[in-house]
Amino acid sequence: MRTERIVLHFPKELVDKPVIVNLVKKYGLDFNILKATITPDAEGVMVLEITGEDENFTKGIEYLINLGITIQPLSQDVIWVEEKCVHCGYCVSYCPTKALSRDEKTYLISFDSQKCTACGVCVEICPYNAMEMKIFV
Amino acid sequence: MAKTIEEINEKIRQGKAVVVTAEEMIDIVNEKGIEKAAKEVDVVTTGTFGIMCSSGIYFNIGHTKPRIKLGGGKVYLNGVPAYAGYAAVDLFLGAAALPDDDPRNKYYPGDFPYGGGHVIEDLVAGKEIRITAQTYGTDCYPRKFLDAYITIHDLNEAVLFNVRNAYQNYNVAVNSSNRVLYTYLGMLRPKFGNANYSSAGQLSPLLNDPYYKTIGIGTRIFLGGGIGYIAWHGTQHNPNVERTERGIPKGGAGTLAVIGDLKQMTPEWIKGVSVKGYGVSLAVGIGVPIPVLNEEIAFYTSVSDEEILAPVVDYATAYPNREPDVITYVSYKELKSGEIELFGKKVPTSPLSSYPKARRIAEILRNWIKEGKFLLTSPSAPIPGVESGVRFKPFSGRELLGEVTSK
Ligand code: SF4
Ligand code: SF4
């Protein structure tokens, strides 16, 4: 099983074709549309989260590429807004990569963006809104 | 030799008082013993910063021209409903209030991005708040609508009045079920995946005065960055619970109702919070000074995290159904280490209250007292102790439905 977030750029002629539905029909992939827009020059841009078996995943992506869709990985960035953080430490044990950690003496929190995989857990649970997800397409 | 509060205040005025935080007191008593510590230390300062839902503000917006009677009407602040059951222009806003159009948990778990706690924080920060009101007209108050921006500076009185804060100890929440739970103690992973707690432990006000010997009605405190007072014992105050040998309650016990001028407060110590799947609330910073009147009080203020036990409660079964079951007791020392052991397994712990902020509050209060800016008060009356027989009763109303429906 694998889940990836990707950005698709559709040429004009594909914008109204049911290509995404085929990911489910032909390759058994699950998808979640995170964002979909049509640019002023009629190209379609879609941010998708796709989940499926490794093999099907690769086939599905090949299918899209063969149709003439360009694909990029989605780069996300999680930002620690320090002035909003109260250093409660609530997020630390939820962070799967230890990007959020606590100093054992001062109990102050620090954030190492290098270790962060932008899983989004902290963004979801921080009661003070101190973790923000930025999405760059 | 016992001291009086007046003697301690005289020392504070002269800049001679020895003031330490509850954390520092632990080491002092360890090094010097109770007797010497009681002689040398005059005041111990405590602190806590956490989510305290039973908080709210009352305020007076002044009379409009022509006059409007908000009492009996409907009033919103940035879309959050305020309570308008007072006279013409007095309002109350609770920390947990939500806009009517917030979807709540309809899309579970709800996000609760903005509510009463956030309005309170925005007011404290000096931001403009939109007030909209609809009411009925009278001969003396003819106006029926109001739509305006106000700031805290436009208000006459703006008072934080929290009916239950600073819980003396609290539950540790775990989840025995197979699904994630979203509670006021945070997100609980299935199958005892984590354990969440919320207390400053050894720095917490009521854990340093477990029998309320110095903390009482009228005690002057640090509240939200300003000076406040203890107004009463808090709702659900429950002194008669099981205690350890040194008198520390083994679970939620005493609580405080506190009051203070919102205009003195700062957003650093008053913060709106959004608790996923649960609701909105207000995080409040409170610090209470404890006069070291004698050796007994010196002893109480020397309590440390390993001596404070908290009950581990299952929020999948026991808590929602109000069953008394406690899985086990763990100390705050264990909780703060980042993991506890449950059923022979290591379980990660997460705090909901901020220890660094609690520490900072105790330090600020210590400095205020050292600088002679803050004098101690004798309580006007005590809050109910063990001997009062006061107990927190469960709901005992007569329900009209034969059965209680569960979720
Ligand atoms: S949960 Fe939020 S406020 Fe608390 S330490 Fe993490 S980022 Fe800071
Ligand atoms: S987004 Fe995930 S990996 Fe990054 S800091 Fe938050 S919890 Fe850790």
Side-chain angles (χ1 to χ4, degrees):
Chain A
M1 271 310 216
R2 139 170 203 211
T3 300
E4 297 270 350
R5 291 181 172 193
I6 53 173
V7 185
L8 312 182
H9 292 268
F10 290 66
K12 273 187 205 130
E13 58 280 11
L14 282 179
V15 165
D16 54 356
K17 299 283 183 315
V19 287
I20 301 304
V21 174
N22 281 336
L23 290 179
V24 185
K25 280 202 196 148
K26 295 192 175 176
Y27 307 102
L29 299 172
D30 262 350
F31 68 88
N32 220 335
I33 299 177
L34 302 176
K35 192 174 162 187
T37 46
I38 294 181
T39 59
D41 57 359
E43 192 209 48
V45 178
M46 189 180 267
V47 183
L48 275 188
E49 186 178 76
I50 305 184
T51 306
E53 297 299 336
D54 270 357
E55 199 181 319
N56 291 342
F57 194 95
T58 320
K59 283 187 188 157
I61 299 287
E62 268 170 25
Y63 162 77
L64 295 174
I65 292 172
N66 288 338
L67 284 175
I69 294 171
T70 44
I71 296 182
Q72 325 169 312
L74 173 68
S75 72
Q76 298 181 73
D77 235 349
V78 165
I79 298 167
W80 178 46
V81 189
E82 205 177 336
E83 14 359 308
K84 285 194 188 172
C85 175
V86 303
H87 297 271
C88 58
Y90 171 46
C91 54
V92 171
S93 77
Y94 294 86
C95 174
T97 63
K98 297 202 162 60
L100 285 158
S101 61
R102 183 185 73 172
D103 183 287
E104 290 314 310
K105 274 222 171 71
T106 63
Y107 290 98
L108 292 172
I109 305 305
S110 56
F111 174 60
D112 179 352
S113 61
Q114 293 301 314
K115 288 189 186 158
C116 173
T117 54
C119 74
V121 174
C122 59
V123 179
E124 213 177 290
I125 63 168
C126 170
Y128 299 88
N129 236 327
M131 302 303 298
E132 283 178 11
M133 177 85 76
K134 297 275 183 240
I135 298 180
F136 306 103
V137 176
Chain B
M1 192 194 72
K3 293 175 233 173
T4 65
I5 289 182
E6 214 13 78
E7 283 162 8
I8 295 176
N9 275 341
E10 194 42 46
K11 282 193 182 172
I12 296 174
R13 280 188 210 102
Q14 294 171 4
K16 287 186 188 152
V18 178
V19 191
V20 302
T21 69
E23 243 182 348
E24 294 164 337
M25 187 64 169
I26 299 169
D27 294 337
I28 294 173
V29 168
N30 273 344
E31 274 165 34
K32 305 190 170 176
I34 297 284
E35 204 180 320
K36 238 176 147 196
K39 250 191 220 129
E40 287 180 20
V41 178
D42 298 308
V43 187
V44 170
T45 59
T46 63
T48 183
F49 181 91
I51 301 175
M52 307 196 191
C53 293
S54 280
S55 299
I57 56 171
Y58 70 80
F59 54 101
N60 179 287
I61 65 164
H63 288 283
T64 56
K65 186 177 162 81
R67 291 179 195 268
I68 189 167
K69 177 182 181 297
L70 300 175
K74 284 202 181 317
V75 180
Y76 293 88
L77 296 157
N78 284 353
V80 179
Y83 177 73
Y86 293 127
V89 289
D90 289 324
L91 294 167
F92 182 86
L93 176 69
L98 287 170
D100 294 342
D101 60 0
D102 185 291
R104 272 80 178 165
N105 265 340
K106 207 170 233 170
Y107 303 104
Y108 176 84
D111 285 329
F112 305 100
Y114 195 84
H118 301 94
V119 177
I120 296 172
E121 177 183 344
D122 283 348
L123 263 177
V124 168
K127 292 190 186 158
E128 281 199 320
I129 307 285
R130 186 165 178 187
I131 179 169
T132 51
Q134 208 179 46
T135 183
Y136 63 98
T138 72
D139 292 338
C140 41
Y141 293 91
R143 192 165 171 175
K144 292 179 187 155
F145 302 100
L146 179 66
D147 192 352
Y149 284 103
I150 52 171
T151 71
I152 194 167
H153 312 295
D154 299 319
L155 304 176
N156 291 304
E157 293 72 25
V159 180
L160 184 75
F161 190 7
N162 302 344
V163 298
R164 180 176 66 258
N165 279 178
Y167 238 118
Q168 187 179 23
N169 209 346
Y170 209 76
N171 291 344
V172 179
V174 293
N175 170 14
S176 66
S177 78
N178 288 322
R179 68 171 183 97
V180 172
L181 297 180
Y182 292 90
T183 72
Y184 63 89
L185 280 172
M187 180 209 217
L188 301 176
R189 293 197 154 131
K191 296 272 160 232
F192 304 103
N194 61 335
N196 290 358
Y197 65 100
S198 185
S199 169
Q202 62 195 15
L203 267 176
S204 185
L206 289 177
L207 290 172
N208 280 279
D209 185 7
Y211 292 110
Y212 331 119
K213 301 229 172 206
T214 69
I215 298 176
I217 295 171
T219 298
R220 186 179 291 136
I221 60 172
F222 171 107
L223 180 59
I227 288 175
Y229 295 87
I230 290 170
W232 205 253
H233 61 276
T235 57
Q236 302 186 11
H237 181 69
N238 196 22
N240 279 289
V241 295
E242 207 186 318
R243 289 171 186 258
T244 64
E245 238 169 73
R246 62 178 293 155
I248 299 293
K250 290 172 75 179
T255 67
L256 299 174
V258 298
I259 191 163
D261 181 4
L262 196 69
K263 294 186 182 188
Q264 289 180 24
M265 298 181 195
T266 54
E268 202 185 340
W269 306 108
I270 293 286
K271 279 192 188 296
V273 295
S274 303
V275 184
K276 188 147 183 99
Y278 177 73
V280 295
S281 189
L282 189 72
V284 184
I286 296 179
V288 180
I290 297 175
V292 183
L293 300 174
N294 51 45
E295 287 174 20
E296 187 190 12
I297 289 165
F299 168 72
Y300 287 135
T301 53
S302 70
V303 70
S304 65
D305 281 338
E306 60 254 46
E307 297 159 318
I308 309 170
L309 298 179
V312 180
V313 174
D314 186 357
Y315 274 58
T317 56
Y319 187 84
N321 297 320
R322 217 198 69 209
E323 301 295 345
D325 310 330
V326 168
I327 295 170
T328 182
Y329 290 91
V330 290
S331 75
Y332 281 94
K333 189 173 181 194
E334 293 167 86
L335 287 164
K336 282 183 189 161
S337 77
E339 55 184 23
I340 56 170
E341 215 179 276
L342 268 192
F343 311 114
K345 220 183 78 186
K346 297 238 181 285
V347 176
T349 57
S350 297
L352 266 299
S353 67
S354 169
Y355 198 71
K357 283 218 169 232
R359 202 178 247 170
R360 191 71 203 113
I361 290 169
E363 287 166 1
I364 292 172
L365 187 54
R366 177 193 64 195
N367 298 346
W368 282 356
I369 299 171
K370 274 190 172 171
E371 290 158 18
K373 287 200 273 193
F374 186 108
L375 293 177
L376 306 190
T377 47
S378 302
S380 316
I383 57 176
V386 174
E387 69 300 333
S388 69
V390 166
R391 264 177 208 283
F392 170 36
K393 294 197 302 271
F395 180 74
S396 59
R398 186 164 58 88
E399 293 202 47
L400 300 185
L401 279 174
E403 57 192 74
V404 183
T405 49
S406 61
K407 193 186 158 207

